[in-house]
Amino acid sequence: MNKSKLVLATGNPNKIEEIRDILKELPIEVLSKEDVGLKNIDIEEDGNTLEENAIKKARAIANEVEGMVMADDSGLFVDFLGGAPGVHSARYSGENSTDEENNRKLLEELKGVPMEKRGASFKAVMALVTEEGKIITVSGECRGTIAFEARGKEGFGYDPLFIVDGYDKTFAELGEEVKNKISHRAKALDQLKKEITKLLEDDGDADICSK
Ligand code: ITT
């Protein structure tokens, strides 16, 4: 039997690296859009929730390729800012904004706000479209505090500003090995691993039955 394929709908290379690392023990081939020859599919992320956007991204790619497709929509929700930047995290300081610009804007918005009021959550929603077109969604959340200045060189996005609860360090200081065990993405993918394992088992049963 061919190894099952999971195509990632994300164009963010950092997410691809994290997802590949977290799913590495599953007996599936994890492919990027580029791996399957897809490049310029522009998907407008106009949903009001991470879930809406994740489903939209996964569906758009599932229409184009064989196999399972998974999309990740994620963001940073800061308590003091009423949940901003939230679903708009990628473009907080404008269309095509860089991580540095977004981090600068966040620090500006939190200027003068004391540590005890700088609580925040990273949230991730993953949408999986199965080969039969069924949609499964899972989510994960990770609590922390926004630092007073950027710290650390690893990771991406808001990682240099996010001090994870239970640690005295930002995700960018902790690095991939720790982040991929405790992050919002890791928590969501833990559930997705179980769903994919069930799908693969059901598939195996179907194979045996059809023989
Ligand atoms: P795709 O839509 O192609 O997957 P994207 O980067 O545009 O890639 P999102 O729309 O989900 O992804 O935006 C998520 C943004 O939230 C991302 O660009 C970061 O700024 C931030 N973010 C999400 N997860 C993060 C993480 O683990 N560490 C740091 N920042 C994160």
Side-chain angles (χ1 to χ4, degrees):
M1 195 175 86
N2 279 338
K3 206 168 175 186
S4 293
K5 289 184 172 50
L6 174 66
V7 180
L8 303 182
T10 179
N12 181 328
N14 298 289
K15 284 190 188 175
I16 295 175
E17 203 185 318
E18 288 186 7
I19 294 166
R20 278 208 168 115
D21 182 54
I22 297 166
L23 296 182
K24 61 181 181 275
E25 70 262 27
L26 281 184
I28 53 168
E29 214 179 334
V30 180
L31 302 165
S32 68
K33 288 191 286 188
E34 284 70 23
D35 292 335
V36 294
L38 284 181
K39 271 195 189 118
N40 298 322
I41 297 198
D42 215 12
I43 305 157
E44 207 190 338
E45 296 186 34
D46 53 3
N48 291 320
T49 62
L50 297 179
E51 186 174 24
E52 274 177 55
N53 283 333
I55 292 173
K56 189 172 182 191
K57 288 190 268 190
R59 273 204 176 122
I61 301 303
N63 287 336
E64 306 292 327
V65 299
E66 303 271 312
M68 293 181 282
V69 173
M70 191 205 99
D72 164 312
D73 204 58
S74 40
L76 179 67
F77 295 72
V78 179
D79 303 347
F80 186 81
L81 302 176
V87 282
H88 306 297
S89 291
R91 46 189 190 283
Y92 189 34
S93 64
E95 276 314 310
N96 306 317
S97 47
T98 63
D99 289 344
E100 289 71 27
E101 287 164 345
N102 288 336
N103 283 339
R104 217 175 302 134
K105 171 158 181 180
L106 181 58
L107 285 177
E108 199 55 42
E109 297 288 331
L110 292 179
K111 213 170 183 169
V113 177
M115 208 53 171
E116 65 274 14
K117 291 192 178 157
R118 297 171 80 96
S121 291
F122 261 133
K123 295 183 190 176
V125 175
M126 313 276 162
L128 177 80
V129 182
T130 69
E131 299 205 48
E132 290 74 36
K134 187 178 153 202
I135 293 176
I136 296 170
T137 59
V138 293
S139 61
E141 180 170 348
C142 186
R143 280 298 294 174
T145 308
I146 303 303
F148 289 111
E149 78 276 297
R151 287 165 25 190
K153 294 265 174 277
E154 296 198 57
F156 70 101
Y158 300 93
D159 282 346
L161 292 182
F162 190 80
I163 304 168
V164 199
D165 274 5
Y167 295 77
D168 212 12
K169 291 186 169 157
T170 66
F171 268 153
E173 291 176 305
L174 285 169
E176 181 180 279
E177 207 184 321
V178 179
K179 182 182 176 190
N180 288 351
K181 287 199 176 82
I182 61 173
S183 76
H184 48 312
R185 189 160 293 107
K187 288 178 185 164
L189 286 171
D190 272 347
Q191 296 171 51
L192 201 71
K193 271 190 227 171
K194 291 182 195 135
E195 297 289 345
I196 293 176
T197 304
K198 259 193 269 166
L199 286 171
L200 296 177
E201 280 167 8
D202 292 350
D203 217 26
D205 290 346
D207 272 2
I208 294 163
C209 292
S210 64
K211 274 179 192 151

